[in-house]
Amino acid sequence: MSQPQDMLTNRDEVDRPMDLRRLLAPRSVVVVGASPDPNSVSGRVRRNLKLMGFKGDVHLVSRTRDEVDGEPCLKSIDALPMGVDAAVLVVPQAAVEESIQACARRGVGAAAVFASGFAEGGDAGMALQANIARIARENGIALLGPNCMGLINFHDGVPLSFEEFDPRIPAGGPRVAIVGQSGAMTSNTRLALLARGLRVTHSVSTGNEAVVHLEQLIAHLVEREEVDVLTVFAETLRHPRMFLACAARARQLGKPLVLLHPGRSQAARDAAKSHTGALAGDHDVMRALVRREGVAIVDTLDELFDVTALLARYPRPLKSPQAAVISNSGALRGIAIDVDEDLGVPLAKLDEATLASLSQALPAFVTPDNPLDITTAGMQSPALFGESARLVLSDDNVGSLVIALMGGLGDAQVAKAHSILPVLEHFDKPVAFVIMGDESPLDERFVRLVHDSHVPFFRSPDRALRAMAHVHQRSRALQRAGDRVSARPAGMNARLPAGPLAEYKGKQLLSSIGIAVPQGSLGRSVDHAVDVANSLGYPVVLKAQADQLMHKSDVGGVAVGIRSEAELREAWERMQSSVSKGTGGMVLDGILVESMAPRGVELLLGAKRDPQWGVVLMLGLGGVWVEALNDVLLLPADLTAVQMAEEMKRLKGAALLEGLRGTPPVDVAAVSEAASALARWLMAHPEVIEVDINPLIALPQGQGVVALDAVFVAADG
């Protein structure tokens, strides 16, 4: 980050810098709108300050009272001493603007605004919110909200919130900061993580984010020594580039960042499915780019809790990309195999030495394997659970372990804990400990042992396996994060004109980038087209060309398999008439004459420049397969060619690339090189907002690729 994260400005405007320390860890607080009612919002704020033993000065402001519960009240904010750090504004919407102005006059550094009825309430509310934001920014006030539940800083003992909460947090264990735009979800997350034995250091809800936004808080908290993990619930990421910078910083510091961002929808993929812009929805772009920075992006609240618990305990990259599972249920073997295959997590092949050691440790009727079923042997000898875990975790092929057991009754549960938990202390490989049985009761002794161990504990093997898959995905991202390509120098290439380019111009660009196209040339007249075809040799393809003609086939602008001069002349006249009629008289640059393309697998290679997030590539099955299967990947533009080739294995139709039913494998290396070359060129051409190459023909291995169609679109200005 380019500036100290305690001193921040907002929205790229030239305003006085805010000091987030005055919001998150104030040394003095004023409660505006103090009331003696203990159940009122201000009464709850005052109670919370006392409950946490806030050590700073607390001032009260009330227009109607001289004192509240024996504490003196000032009549107005203007009566405050200069320089109070934070104000809690328990005032109605209509009084917020006046209160912020008064805070500015008295040098108040931060404010929490609980009132609603602002941007979420229509145009009038939006205008009012914009005005209070302007006043706050001009005066360097770190304004939290409006329409928020405030914050709780457990580390420094600062509650600027009306929420009821238990001030006690677990002793020891990983430390987590929570930031969310929803107050309810932030509280829900805090309760869930505390129940898992995690130490929550900060819990902040940002509400409407008129001034202080989620990204600024993450930038501040990631630098805090007392924060090991950040858990984020975001409905909108208003500053994507800053979020990516925060994620990169978290990765550099070895602090996991877990994100739940609702908004996945098929709506972004309907309509013109062959069009890159329709396929690459904003949410999908976000997911591709935040994953690149090592963010663990999850899809459900369960995953938010589960993945945070695992990464808080095991933040480092895995030593092996392969997983292991131990159970005392044979049925779970099949479940684990299916789930891990669906999630793309390879199961480790245990080393021969490990298999031999397991054979010696386990009864003869147990077959060592992964997943490992130790059967009922553990009932007679609970030590087998711990010994099996030790042997499996000692295998270099194993990167993670899920131990999912039927627990039995109280003494049996305790015996399993005594056998397993001491073993896990000697390994830093991620482990999820599961006692199956859903909500069946657990012995208090067992619960205490697991809680004190800080080993992530689950009641559902499915949840444990899915959470562990996120650990594997993040580990892959971390290991690849440092290997990136940079933009290809623009050199003498001129800026592209605004709007779409005709296909023949796009293909000239592709050739300059290093992506092969069919032999051919633009025919300016029918006689010229005949000369081109004669030089190429029949059969040929004809395509009408004009910058604004993006859908040639729809207006009869494509003819394939032209086998003679007579056919060419007839097709030329027919095409000129059809295109003119279908476009209202569009004047063509000419008609492109090309050789027929060789046969291969049709792929789509596209790119989109999101105005907020940046460039992503799209790679998948092309031609008619786009509409039929929607089998595409969104990839960060700075992946290397090798990484892109690895990503292609995730396609549903990856088997087509490897060779199917006697067909040869395609030239995956050439596909990935073409994708990487296009990405480098795009990063050097910020005016280009979209590229669509469909189809890109992938030829047999060693023969390269050929782009049969190309659309380039540049922005105005």
Side-chain angles (χ1 to χ4, degrees), residues 192-391:
L193 298 184
L194 287 170
R196 289 172 174 263
L198 300 179
R199 283 191 288 168
V200 175
T201 60
H202 302 77
S203 177
V204 189
S205 73
T206 60
N208 290 9
E209 298 188 350
V211 176
V212 174
H213 52 76
L214 179 142
E215 293 88 347
Q216 288 174 322
L217 289 163
I218 296 171
H220 173 88
L221 292 169
V222 76
E223 302 291 344
R224 302 298 300 174
E225 185 178 347
E226 69 270 17
V227 174
D228 300 318
V229 183
L230 294 107
T231 298
V232 178
F233 181 92
E235 295 168 277
T236 302
L237 290 171
R238 292 180 171 87
H239 303 270
R241 302 296 177 90
M242 187 174 185
F243 184 84
L244 291 174
C246 291
R249 180 61 175 157
R251 173 171 51 78
Q252 292 164 2
L253 294 173
K255 297 184 178 185
L257 197 165
V258 186
L259 170 67
L260 174 57
H261 187 332
R264 290 178 298 135
S265 171
Q266 194 64 28
R269 299 192 184 100
D270 58 8
K273 292 197 175 187
S274 63
H275 196 279
T276 300
L279 284 162
D282 291 346
H283 195 270
D284 296 322
V285 171
M286 176 275 299
R287 293 174 72 90
L289 295 181
V290 301
R291 276 202 179 110
R292 175 64 162 156
E293 295 299 346
V295 175
I297 182 165
V298 299
D299 296 320
T300 67
L301 283 168
D302 286 348
E303 288 182 341
L304 185 69
F305 310 150
D306 297 344
V307 176
T308 296
L310 276 169
L311 289 177
R313 178 67 174 81
Y314 306 105
R316 296 178 180 176
L318 301 179
K319 296 178 179 179
S320 166
Q322 301 175 102
V325 179
I326 296 175
S327 183
N328 56 357
S329 165
L332 189 66
R333 275 177 48 83
I335 293 173
I337 291 170
D338 287 346
V339 171
D340 275 345
E341 181 174 324
D342 290 343
L343 297 173
V345 179
L347 286 166
K349 182 177 181 180
L350 299 180
D351 188 79
E352 291 296 331
T354 303
L355 295 173
S357 297
L358 285 168
S359 294
Q360 291 181 348
L362 296 167
F365 58 83
V366 176
T367 302
D369 200 357
N370 179 32
L372 175 63
D373 171 22
I374 66 172
T375 69
T376 58
M379 295 177 65
Q380 286 75 38
S381 179
L384 291 177
F385 294 110
E387 180 62 6
S388 298
R390 184 187 70 81
L391 292 172

Side-chain angles (χ1 to χ4, degrees), residues 695-714:
L696 177 74
I697 300 297
L699 301 173
Q701 196 165 18
Q703 298 182 31
V705 296
V706 180
L708 299 195
D709 199 357
V711 175
F712 285 74
V713 182

Side-chain angles (χ1 to χ4, degrees), residues 527-542:
D527 290 335
H528 183 204
V530 168
D531 289 341
V532 173
N534 288 336
S535 66
L536 294 174
Y538 293 95
V540 295
V541 177
L542 303 185

Side-chain angles (χ1 to χ4, degrees), residues 109 132 168 199 256 270 292 355 495 524 542 580 609 714:
I132 66 170
R168 297 171 297 178
R199 283 191 288 168
D270 58 8
R292 175 64 162 156
L355 295 173
R495 180 184 175 90
R524 301 286 184 177
L542 303 185
S580 179
R609 186 182 305 277

Side-chain angles (χ1 to χ4, degrees), residues 644-667:
M644 289 185 183
E646 291 174 359
E647 289 293 320
M648 289 171 64
K649 297 176 183 177
R650 296 196 292 115
L651 288 167
K652 301 170 195 172
L656 289 172
L657 308 180
E658 298 165 0
L660 200 61
R661 298 198 174 192
T663 61
V666 306
D667 200 336

